[in-house]
């Protein structure tokens, strides 16, 4: 005879989990089938149906619907099998069961974590082709009901909808296939707190070295190594919770560009330190070639190694260069001329402070000055392009 029409409707009880690593989802639902079997009709005066449990299911014909691309599925059996069979006097049958199914979902992570995913649960008869059994949604899109309390920690469920089409197998023929489609939009705030903000702060922290004295080697090197290692930890943590896909994700672009900025800040100080060493070597050779001390009238001369305070200057006043330093050390020290006048103590303090400020300015390399503008400007420009493309 003709194909038996079997209507289907589904009520989704819960969407339990979405796994990016395994690329699957787990759903619990009530699956209901409607068909007419005149062999089960019975006379009734009040036109009421008869309800049975799962024991009668094994003795009558029921549709052999299965879940395509299912990894695991089971019918709940606590406290008894969650199966219900309701037969009406005219032979119409309602067959309902409570099922939990884990099915495959092909996800695209090229925009992760600014992505949205569309997954489908597919139902199909295993043995009967479309010539023997015709599966259809009983009420169209109204055949799919969802619980209003369904929520996920990482996703916002945008919509559920149903579709149907024919599936062809070369060995067996054409089959009716029903689809439960749902679209998920990922919550971005979690990844902003756990990934984007820490990465941005590490990049900004690496810029602090541009304001540190270029001669403070331990401070600048330790700061650069710390930021590089922290960025490596962030990248490793993100990739540990993701499948090993062969394409680049949006979060990879952001993290690796941030890592490059941090790494370039370390290379920037390497360049500054190298150029400073070369410059000092040239100045030392010039001092050795032209070692002379030009006296200033009405001034007294003294030798200093570099840093000095006002008390040092006062205590050294009155001593000549020849009295302080032996002849063999003249070429290894810097000659500093201080004009000692009868100014007040406040005037001398201002002079010393101005000299220290001048030394700080002189100890800032030109590369550091340009880096203070180029690094932040380039990173801000990258963020504008990144969020305009992926958001």
């Amino acid at each position: 005879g003709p194909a038996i029409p079997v209507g289907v409707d589904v009520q989704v009880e819960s969407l339990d989990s979405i796994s990016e690593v395994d690329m699957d989802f787990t759903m619990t639902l009530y699956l209901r089938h409607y068909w007419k079997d005149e062999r089960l009709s019975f006379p009734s005066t009040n036109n009421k149906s008869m309800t049975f449990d799962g024991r009668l299911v094994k003795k009558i014909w029921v549709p052999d619907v299965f879940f395509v691309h299912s990894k695991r599925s089971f019918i709940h059996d606590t406290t008894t099998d969650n199966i219900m069979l309701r037969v009406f006097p005219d032979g119409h049958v309602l067959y309902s069961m409570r099922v939990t199914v884990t099915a495959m979902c092909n996800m695209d992570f090229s925009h992760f974590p600014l992505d949205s995913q569309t997954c489908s649960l597919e139902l199909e008869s295993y043995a009967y082709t479309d010539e023997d059994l015709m599966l259809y949604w009983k009420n169209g899109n109204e055949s799919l009901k969802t619980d209003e309390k369904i929520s996920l920690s990482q996703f916002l469920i945008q919509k559920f909808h149903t579709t149907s089409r024919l599936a062809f197998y070369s060995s067996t023929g054409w089959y009716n296939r029903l689809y439960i489609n749902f679209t998920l939009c990922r919550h971005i705030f979690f990844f902003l707190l756990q990934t984007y903000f820490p990465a941005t702060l590490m990049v900004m922290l690496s810029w602090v070295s541009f304001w540190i004295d270029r001669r403070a080697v331990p401070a600048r090197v330790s700061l650069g190594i710390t930021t590089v290692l922290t960025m490596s930890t962030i990248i490793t943590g993100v990739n540990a919770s993701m499948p090993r896909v062969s394409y680049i994700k949006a979060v990879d672009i952001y993290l690796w560009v941030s890592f490059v900025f941090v790494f370039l800040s370390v290379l920037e100080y390497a360049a500054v330190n190298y150029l400073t060493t070369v410059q000092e070597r040239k100045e030392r050779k010039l001092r050795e070639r032209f070692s002379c001390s030009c006296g200033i009238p009405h001034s007294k001369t003294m030798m200093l190694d570099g840093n000095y305070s006002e008390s040092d200057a006062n205590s050294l006043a009155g001593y000549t260069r020849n009295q302080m330093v032996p002849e063999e050390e003249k070429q290894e020290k810097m000659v500093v001329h201080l004009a000692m006048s009868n100014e007040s103590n406040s005037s001398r303090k201002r002079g010393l402070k101005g000299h220290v400020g001048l030394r700080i300015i002189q100890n800032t390399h030109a590369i550091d000055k340009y880096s203070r503008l180029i690094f932040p400007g380039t990173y801000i420009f990258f963020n504008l392009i990144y969020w305009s493309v992926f958001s």
Side-chain angles (χ1 to χ4, degrees):
I4 300 174
V6 177
V8 177
D9 69 26
V10 172
Q11 180 174 347
V12 179
E13 181 182 11
S14 64
L15 194 57
D16 301 323
S17 64
I18 307 290
S19 175
E20 291 89 355
V21 177
D22 299 326
M23 286 195 182
D24 59 23
F25 65 93
T26 302
M27 178 186 293
T28 301
L29 50 89
Y30 296 97
L31 178 60
R32 306 185 183 97
H33 307 78
Y34 302 86
W35 74 94
K36 184 177 182 181
D37 190 345
E38 296 179 352
R39 297 172 298 177
L40 299 178
S41 60
F42 60 93
S44 175
T45 56
N46 51 13
N47 200 28
K48 290 185 177 181
S49 62
M50 299 177 63
T51 303
F52 306 93
D53 57 19
R55 290 173 295 178
L56 184 63
V57 174
K58 299 178 180 179
K59 299 180 180 181
I60 65 172
W61 179 88
V62 294
D64 59 341
V65 174
F66 78 105
F67 298 101
V68 185
H69 305 308
S70 172
K71 294 182 177 180
R72 294 174 301 275
S73 60
F74 62 92
I75 299 174
H76 290 258
D77 55 1
T78 306
T79 57
T80 59
D81 292 340
N82 295 173
I83 297 175
M84 185 265 290
L85 187 70
R86 182 171 294 170
V87 182
F88 293 86
D90 58 355
H92 280 89
V93 180
L94 165 60
Y95 174 45
S96 176
M97 64 183 75
R98 183 167 175 253
V99 184
T100 295
V101 56
T102 300
M104 183 177 64
C105 178
N106 293 322
M107 301 182 185
D108 182 14
F109 297 107
S110 57
H111 284 67
F112 176 87
L114 306 170
D115 59 335
S116 60
Q117 304 293 340
T118 300
C119 299
S120 299
L121 183 63
E122 305 171 12
L123 296 85
E124 183 182 304
S125 172
Y126 190 82
Y128 301 107
T129 64
D130 60 340
E131 297 178 354
D132 299 324
L133 188 147
M134 184 181 66
L135 280 179
Y136 68 96
W137 290 111
K138 188 173 184 296
N139 298 311
N141 278 332
E142 298 297 325
S143 301
L144 180 61
K145 304 292 183 180
T146 59
D147 193 336
E148 296 179 355
K149 298 180 180 180
I150 294 178
S151 63
L152 294 170
S153 58
Q154 290 191 27
F155 292 93
L156 173 65
I157 303 175
Q158 291 185 332
K159 63 178 180 178
F160 280 88
H161 65 281
T162 61
T163 55
S164 61
R165 65 187 67 176
L166 289 175
F168 177 74
Y169 297 91
S170 58
S171 300
T172 54
W174 293 89
Y175 294 82
N176 294 110
R177 182 176 295 182
L178 307 181
Y179 295 82
I180 301 174
N181 305 307
F182 56 95
T183 304
L184 304 172
C185 183
R186 195 183 304 274
H187 294 298
I188 185 60
F189 190 70
F190 170 81
F191 295 95
L192 288 177
L193 292 178
Q194 299 296 324
T195 303
Y196 287 95
F197 284 165
T200 303
L201 291 178
M202 286 300 104
V203 175
M204 296 174 65
L205 183 61
S206 67
W207 300 339
V208 175
S209 65
F210 304 151
W211 277 265
I212 299 178
D213 190 349
R214 59 178 173 172
R215 302 181 188 276
V217 178
R220 296 190 65 165
V221 170
S222 61
L223 181 61
I225 293 176
T226 301
T227 52
V228 168
L229 293 178
T230 304
M231 284 301 304
S232 301
T233 303
I234 294 174
I235 293 173
T236 303
V238 172
N239 291 331
S241 59
M242 294 295 299
R244 298 179 180 178
V245 294
S246 58
Y247 50 86
I248 298 177
K249 303 181 290 294
V251 68
D252 293 336
I253 296 175
Y254 193 90
L255 291 180
W256 280 105
V257 170
S258 300
F259 182 85
V260 169
F261 271 89
V262 172
F263 185 73
L264 288 178
S265 68
V266 179
L267 295 183
E268 185 269 349
Y269 178 62
V272 169
N273 187 271
Y274 174 75
L275 294 177
T276 301
T277 304
V278 172
Q279 182 180 359
E280 290 179 349
R281 188 182 299 118
K282 291 180 180 179
E283 292 176 354
R284 190 181 302 112
K285 290 181 179 179
L286 289 176
R287 285 198 303 269
E288 292 176 354
R289 185 178 302 176
F290 307 102
S291 60
C292 65
S293 170
C294 300
I296 300 177
H298 308 291
S299 299
K300 297 180 181 180
T301 310
M302 66 178 181
M303 294 296 300
L304 295 176
D305 286 334
N307 297 328
Y308 58 90
S309 63
E310 181 185 1
S311 60
D312 298 329
N314 292 332
S315 63
L316 293 173
Y319 292 89
T320 63
R321 174 173 168 270
N322 294 329
Q323 291 173 320
M324 291 179 58
V325 183
E327 186 68 23
E328 60 270 15
E329 298 181 5
K330 289 180 180 180
Q331 296 180 0
E332 298 179 1
K333 297 187 179 292
M334 183 185 301
V335 180
V336 180
H337 300 281
L338 292 178
M340 309 302 294
S341 62
N342 294 326
E343 296 176 349
S344 62
N345 292 333
S346 60
S347 299
R348 283 181 289 177
K349 289 181 180 179
R350 287 195 298 268
L352 289 172
K353 289 180 180 179
H355 186 75
V356 173
L358 180 61
R359 290 183 65 248
I360 294 175
I361 294 175
Q362 291 177 347
N363 284 336
T364 300
H365 199 276
I367 297 179
D368 283 338
K369 294 179 182 179
Y370 291 122
S371 297
R372 295 172 187 175
L373 298 176
I374 294 175
F375 274 73
T378 307
Y379 194 69
I380 291 173
F381 180 70
F382 160 72
N383 273 272
L384 292 176
I385 295 178
Y386 179 87
W387 293 107
S388 62
V389 170
F390 290 104
S391 61

